[in-house]
Amino acid sequence: MSLLDIYLQKNGKKRYDVFKETGISQQMLSSVNKKNVSSYSVKTIQAIAKTVEKNEGMVLDELLQLEKENAYFEVHNTEDLLTAFDNKETYIVIKGDYKNEMEMLAKSQLSETETLGLELGSAGTITILAEAIYQLANLFSNKDHEQKKIESQIRRYKIKKINEDEFLLYLRQLDY
């Protein structure tokens, strides 16, 4: 889970904003993003606090609360979704108007029962054949790079409807 990205997102900022505001390297922010809050340095907390215009104690408290809640990465547009995929987020919540756009992709996925039936009926070879067909179709597709990346990455996730306004994406490997 990328706790730093989730925290910054909730405050309307990105890691780049922290870099621009404080000069703290993006490589350092990337490595911090994968760690627990207890391992954040004072310098990092100060940089985050300056960027979100809060005091260090409040930032630390809010980060610890987020860590305790096990917060999900929220997606409101294509850029957020690509960031979530780049961060290899375990859980992604798609909200707002973007949920309607993602509904088409959700409808294109087979249900668990359908997938299991196909795999059992074909002794597993359907998975290999389906991947080959997908890659071939993707090669000749005229979709833009972002759309291809989204379609490719979303295949790693299961889509679950939370309510009328939200979808939850979670990694397929979590079911095993």
Side-chain angles (χ1 to χ4, degrees):
M1 174 177 60
S2 57
L3 193 63
L4 177 59
D5 282 338
I6 293 170
Y7 179 76
L8 291 171
Q9 181 187 45
K10 289 185 180 293
N11 286 280
K13 303 289 183 180
K14 295 183 185 279
R15 277 187 272 161
Y16 181 75
D17 298 323
V18 177
F19 161 70
K20 211 165 82 175
E21 180 81 23
T22 64
I24 202 166
S25 77
Q26 292 195 45
Q27 291 82 6
M28 182 176 172
L29 292 171
S30 179
S31 69
V32 164
N33 199 29
K34 299 173 182 126
K35 297 179 181 177
N36 292 332
V37 176
S38 60
S39 62
Y40 284 22
S41 69
V42 172
K43 182 180 176 182
T44 303
I45 297 292
Q46 289 172 333
I48 296 166
K50 183 177 181 183
T51 304
V52 298
E53 299 174 350
K54 295 180 179 178
N55 68 48
E56 292 87 353
M58 182 180 283
V59 168
L60 186 56
D61 288 343
E62 290 174 352
L63 281 166
L64 289 168
Q65 184 63 35
L66 267 179
E67 186 175 56
K68 195 165 110 178
E69 291 172 357
N70 204 9
Y72 297 155
F73 194 90
E74 293 181 4
V75 171
H76 300 278
N77 55 43
T78 302
E79 184 182 343
D80 290 345
L81 185 60
L82 290 172
T83 300
F85 288 152
D86 289 343
N87 292 341
K88 297 176 177 71
E89 293 292 341
T90 307
Y91 296 97
I92 303 169
V93 176
I94 299 176
K95 293 184 164 193
D97 293 335
Y98 196 60
K99 180 249 176 201
N100 297 332
E101 291 181 39
M102 296 304 296
E103 203 157 12
M104 293 291 279
L105 284 174
K107 289 180 181 176
S108 69
Q109 286 192 343
L110 294 176
S111 72
E112 190 69 31
T113 307
E114 293 167 334
T115 304
L116 185 60
L118 278 172
E119 288 175 351
L120 287 174
S122 68
T125 57
I126 194 72
T127 306
I128 297 167
L129 182 60
E131 184 64 25
I133 292 169
Y134 172 76
Q135 293 299 333
L136 187 62
N138 206 18
L139 184 64
F140 294 108
S141 172
N142 59 358
K143 295 177 181 172
D144 66 2
H145 177 71
E146 283 183 345
Q147 188 63 30
K148 285 181 181 180
K149 185 172 181 178
I150 288 171
E151 287 180 4
S152 173
Q153 293 291 321
I154 208 161
R155 298 173 72 222
R156 298 178 181 175
Y157 289 83
K158 286 193 173 185
I159 301 174
K160 182 179 179 183
K161 189 173 187 174
I162 299 173
N163 58 43
E164 292 301 317
D165 299 324
E166 298 177 336
F167 275 132
L168 175 65
L169 301 180
Y170 62 96
L171 286 173
R172 289 184 181 276
Q173 65 199 31
L174 295 176
D175 280 351
Y176 302 111

